[in-house]
Amino acid sequence: AELGVITQEDLDISIKPLRDRVGMPTINLANIPTDTGWDFPDLSPLINEIRRERRVELAAEGFRWDDIARWAAADELLVGKRPRGFLASQVAVNPFLVDENGFLDPFRNALPNGYLFRTDRDYLTSIPISELVLNPSLSQNPGW
């Protein structure tokens, strides 16, 4: 899909079995509806659907950061945002701050401006000092 050469047969052998398993409709390459809630409104409907499918199918399996980094999308999806909890009205005792929409906002003080992200540094992780000591040919990634 990213290369622009995907076919309906490709979708039928990859995404269709996942959707069939839970009774979801098949993605039809010729007719993907527009969704105002897409994470990537500047990309094609197909890419958005494939990325959403991956997000749903792999939820809580530890792949989200890998996808965000591969798509170079952290500046779109993370910067300026912070995690919220559920509705404060659903909790008997609430030790957290509450946002303007009534959701728990436990990171308001720690991340007042949301997540920060430096595109010139943060797509690479730092190399552990122990690895640098073991191999003097290595050098630290930029910015670390």
Side-chain angles (χ1 to χ4, degrees):
E2 297 280 351
L3 296 174
V5 295
I6 196 165
T7 65
Q8 185 64 48
E9 292 84 26
D10 295 327
L11 294 174
D12 290 345
I13 63 171
S14 58
I15 295 176
K16 186 178 184 311
L18 299 172
R19 289 179 156 235
D20 285 350
R21 185 185 71 212
V22 293
M24 296 271 305
T26 299
I27 292 179
N28 183 337
L29 190 57
N31 186 23
I32 298 174
T34 301
D35 182 346
T36 57
W38 278 334
D39 285 337
F40 307 97
D42 294 336
L43 297 178
S44 75
L46 178 61
I47 296 295
N48 272 284
E49 284 302 312
I50 289 171
R51 288 182 179 187
R52 177 172 29 208
E53 190 72 31
R54 189 166 169 82
R55 180 180 186 178
V56 170
E57 181 64 24
L58 298 174
E61 292 190 24
F63 293 101
R64 187 67 177 154
W65 170 248
D66 294 335
D67 287 344
I68 289 170
R70 180 175 56 253
W71 302 329
D75 52 318
E76 296 174 70
L77 299 178
L78 301 178
V79 172
K81 297 177 183 169
R82 66 178 175 262
R84 302 297 202 286
F86 44 84
L87 283 170
S89 61
Q90 297 174 314
V91 208
V93 177
N94 175 22
F96 300 112
L97 297 169
V98 177
D99 74 5
E100 62 280 358
N101 297 314
F103 289 91
L104 300 181
D105 194 1
F107 298 102
R108 184 186 304 168
N109 292 334
L111 300 169
N113 299 315
Y115 289 120
L116 304 177
F117 191 85
R118 288 182 35 200
T119 56
D120 64 332
R121 181 193 78 174
D122 295 341
Y123 281 116
L124 299 173
T125 56
S126 63
I127 298 173
I129 192 73
S130 59
E131 296 299 320
L132 295 171
V133 169
L134 284 173
N135 185 348
S137 298
L138 290 176
S139 61
Q140 188 57 269
N141 280 325
W144 295 98

